[in-house]
């Protein structure tokens, strides 16, 4: 029998990274010690007190059963409590919060919850690929909002045609941003809320990097903006803040009807977050921010090391105020993929082509600061020797 996958899988973009993976294996086979600055996955370990909380909770047989779909009451209270201390806004843990099996899960399922076939979804370009997958899986039509350097990598709401705005059901925004590392001030979020309320658009804000910030920058939340609770939902993750990418835990906060719609999808496709993981997440959210600050200062040192080195070798890159990424312009004569391939073949360093995040990412590459400084230093030396 000939197996034919669903047509929707054909709507996903070709996997740009497959070719890079092939070249990476080829380079490794020649004996090169490849340094990967490709993936955004923290090398720093999950803080010990969180691991200990998991160990204790894993021994409790009450945690071996199916968890609550929306998350333990105590988990949701810990999430809204953390949110109130951090952002100064009180939310109802019972109606305005929902546990997620990592925020990627929530982001993908949210499209199923609110997008009907033919609806337009406004998606930043470049952007995290899951916004687009969720859109096409639910039959939506993507409209890409270009993020350009001259606008500080913010979308220009005024450039969205009236007809598109009228048909749009959902808008995705993500700040601090992956992959551009751009940040926003509350005024931009105010404009976003105003645009969405005026056009009846649901605003989904991905805030996975809110705590990875430097130089005193404090990332704003969209739910701090007046009127946002009428139209907005926000996706938080423990993955980057506490180096917990493998644990799969995050949470959504915001408009109660949007939380309920997302919960209705989740009730039908998953059975919640392992309760022992929720207990560990509660320990993380209830703790002071000492380890978070310590980790940020490590990322900041790496950032300064790398930005300086990249500039010396002709890769223009502004030091970001948040995230553990550097978004660098490729030098004259290269494209995103040709530079990426050169750097991999000739220096044994993996970086990510900006074009992998969308058309407007062309002309840029992303460096992830998720390797120890000595490896980063080694990568810098190899890049220097390249004489691009
Ligand atoms: C890492 C990341 C996420 C999701 O992380 P989870 O591990 O699924 O919580 C979401 N959005 C962006 C932009 C990310 O970079």
């Amino acid at each position: 029998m000939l197996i034919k996958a669903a047509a929707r899988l054909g709507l996903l973009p070709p996997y740009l990274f497959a070719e890079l993976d092939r070249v990476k294996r080829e380079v490794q086979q020649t004996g090169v010690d490849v340094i990967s600055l490709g993936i955004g996955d923290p090398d720093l370990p999950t803080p010990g007190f969180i691991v200990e909380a998991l160990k204790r909770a894993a021994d409790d047989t009450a945690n071996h059963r199916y968890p609550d779909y929306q998350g333990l009451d105590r988990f949701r209270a810990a999430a809204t409590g953390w949110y109130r201390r951090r952002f100064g806004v009180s939310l109802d843990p019972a109606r305005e919060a929902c546990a997620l099996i990592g925020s990627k899960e929530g982001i993908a399922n949210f499209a199923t919850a609110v997008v009907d076939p033919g609806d337009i979804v406004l998606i930043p370009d470049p952007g995290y690929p899951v916004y687009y997958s969720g859109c096409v899986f639910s039959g939506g039509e993507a409209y890409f909002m270009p993020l350009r350097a001259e606008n500080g990598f913010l979308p220009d709401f005024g450039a969205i045609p009236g007809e598109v705005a009228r048909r749009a059901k959902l808008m995705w925004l993500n700040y601090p941003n992956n992959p551009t590392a751009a940040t926003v001030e509350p005024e931009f979020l105010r404009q976003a809320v105003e645009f969405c309320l005026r056009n009846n658009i649901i605003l989904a804000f991905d805030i996975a990097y809110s705590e990875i910030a430097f130089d005193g920058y404090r990332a704003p939340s969209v739910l701090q903006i007046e009127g946002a609770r009428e139209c907005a939902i926000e996706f938080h993750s423990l993955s980057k803040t506490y180096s917990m990418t493998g644990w799969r835990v995050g949470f959504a906060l915001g408009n109660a009807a949007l939380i309920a719609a997302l919960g209705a999808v989740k009730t039908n496709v998953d059975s919640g977050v392992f309760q022992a993981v929720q207990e560990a997440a509660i320990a993380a959210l209830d703790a002071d921010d000492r380890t978070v600050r310590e980790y940020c200062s490590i990322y900041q040192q790496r950032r300064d090391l790398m930005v300086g080195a990249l500039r010396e070798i002709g890769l223009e890159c502004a030091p970001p105020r948040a995230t553990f990424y550097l978004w660098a312009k490729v030098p004259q004569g290269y494209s995103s993929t040709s530079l990426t391939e050169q750097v991999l073949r000739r220096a044994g360093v993996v970086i990510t082509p900006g074009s992998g995040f969308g058309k407007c990412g062309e002309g840029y590459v992303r460096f992830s600061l998720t390797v120890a400084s000595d490896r980063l230093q080694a990568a810098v030396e190899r890049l220097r020797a390249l004489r691009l």
Side-chain angles (χ1 to χ4, degrees):
M1 182 190 140
L2 180 68
I3 304 294
K4 191 167 169 295
R8 66 175 70 87
L9 292 188
L11 297 172
L12 298 175
Y15 189 53
L16 221 173
F17 303 115
E19 169 64 8
L20 268 177
D21 282 345
R22 198 188 57 73
V23 178
K24 181 181 167 186
R25 272 193 303 277
E26 210 180 289
V27 173
Q28 271 167 334
Q29 272 158 17
T30 65
V32 174
D33 170 26
V34 169
I35 301 174
S36 180
L37 310 181
I39 331 170
D41 190 354
D43 60 309
L44 304 170
T46 307
F49 72 93
I50 301 174
V51 179
E52 289 308 317
L54 173 76
K55 287 181 185 167
R56 283 193 302 276
D59 275 336
D60 182 351
T61 56
N63 289 333
H64 298 175
R65 314 192 65 177
Y66 283 122
D68 280 346
Y69 289 108
Q70 318 278 331
L72 289 164
D73 290 346
R74 284 187 305 105
F75 173 82
R76 284 181 288 159
T80 54
W82 172 84
Y83 182 84
R84 178 170 29 75
R85 290 191 301 281
R86 169 66 174 84
F87 295 101
V89 177
S90 291
L91 297 166
D92 176 3
R95 296 168 52 252
E96 294 175 303
C98 176
L100 300 174
I101 309 172
S103 66
K104 180 179 185 178
E105 174 265 297
I107 290 166
N109 280 324
F110 189 59
T112 311
V114 298
V115 176
D116 281 315
D119 285 345
I120 287 181
V121 181
L122 303 171
I123 297 175
D125 173 8
Y128 185 59
V130 185
Y131 314 137
Y132 180 73
S133 334
C135 167
V136 299
F137 284 173
S138 48
E141 206 180 291
Y143 178 88
F144 290 103
M145 303 181 290
L147 306 185
R148 300 193 198 284
E150 59 266 32
N151 295 331
F153 299 108
L154 308 182
D156 177 1
F157 302 129
I160 298 170
E163 175 61 14
V164 171
R166 202 185 54 74
R167 282 181 50 215
K169 183 74 185 282
L170 170 63
M171 175 193 282
W172 283 103
L173 290 176
N174 162 227
Y175 293 96
N177 185 257
N178 176 14
T180 67
T183 52
V184 291
E185 297 300 332
E187 172 55 22
F188 169 78
L189 297 180
R190 200 194 54 71
Q191 288 168 23
V193 168
E194 195 267 332
F195 178 84
C196 288
L197 286 175
R198 183 154 40 85
N199 292 287
N200 249 308
I201 298 169
I202 295 162
L203 176 54
F205 193 57
D206 178 353
I207 190 165
Y209 295 91
S210 63
E211 305 314 300
I212 311 297
F214 322 115
D215 309 326
Y217 176 70
R218 297 287 274 169
S221 151
V222 81
L223 301 172
Q224 292 173 306
I225 307 299
E226 203 185 316
R229 269 149 97 175
E230 281 180 54
C231 65
I233 185 170
E234 193 162 83
F235 291 86
H236 288 265
S237 171
L238 280 81
S239 291
K240 316 292 162 53
T241 308
Y242 305 103
S243 287
M244 290 174 73
T245 47
W247 297 53
R248 313 314 304 138
V249 60
F251 51 91
L253 299 175
N255 178 281
L258 296 177
I259 294 288
L262 176 59
V265 174
K266 286 175 55 55
T267 308
N268 286 281
V269 301
D270 68 57
S271 298
V273 178
F274 179 28
Q275 276 186 18
V277 168
Q278 292 188 57
E279 292 291 352
I282 291 169
L285 293 166
D286 283 351
D288 62 38
D289 64 352
R290 215 181 54 229
T291 31
V292 179
R293 284 210 315 270
E294 185 190 316
Y295 282 14
C296 283
S297 78
I298 295 172
Y299 291 130
Q300 183 168 344
Q301 283 166 24
R302 294 175 181 176
R303 175 199 70 171
D304 294 340
L305 166 79
M306 201 65 186
V307 168
L310 291 181
R311 280 179 174 165
E312 281 172 34
I313 61 175
L315 286 164
E316 193 191 312
C317 159
R321 289 194 296 177
T323 80
F324 41 59
Y325 302 115
L326 299 182
W327 185 243
K329 224 168 151 45
V330 308
Q332 283 279 328
Y334 290 96
S335 67
S336 294
T337 47
S338 73
L339 180 68
T340 305
E341 197 176 330
Q342 285 284 316
V343 165
L344 177 51
R345 283 194 189 280
R346 292 174 49 214
V349 175
V350 178
I351 56 177
T352 309
S355 51
F357 298 98
K359 268 204 197 77
C360 296
E362 179 51 52
Y364 292 88
V365 287
R366 190 190 74 177
F367 292 78
S368 181
L369 302 171
T370 49
V371 301
S373 316
D374 57 334
R375 295 288 281 169
L376 215 51
Q377 192 77 54
V380 164
E381 294 314 322
R382 292 190 200 176
L383 289 172
R384 210 189 298 280
L386 268 188
R387 305 195 167 281
L388 290 169

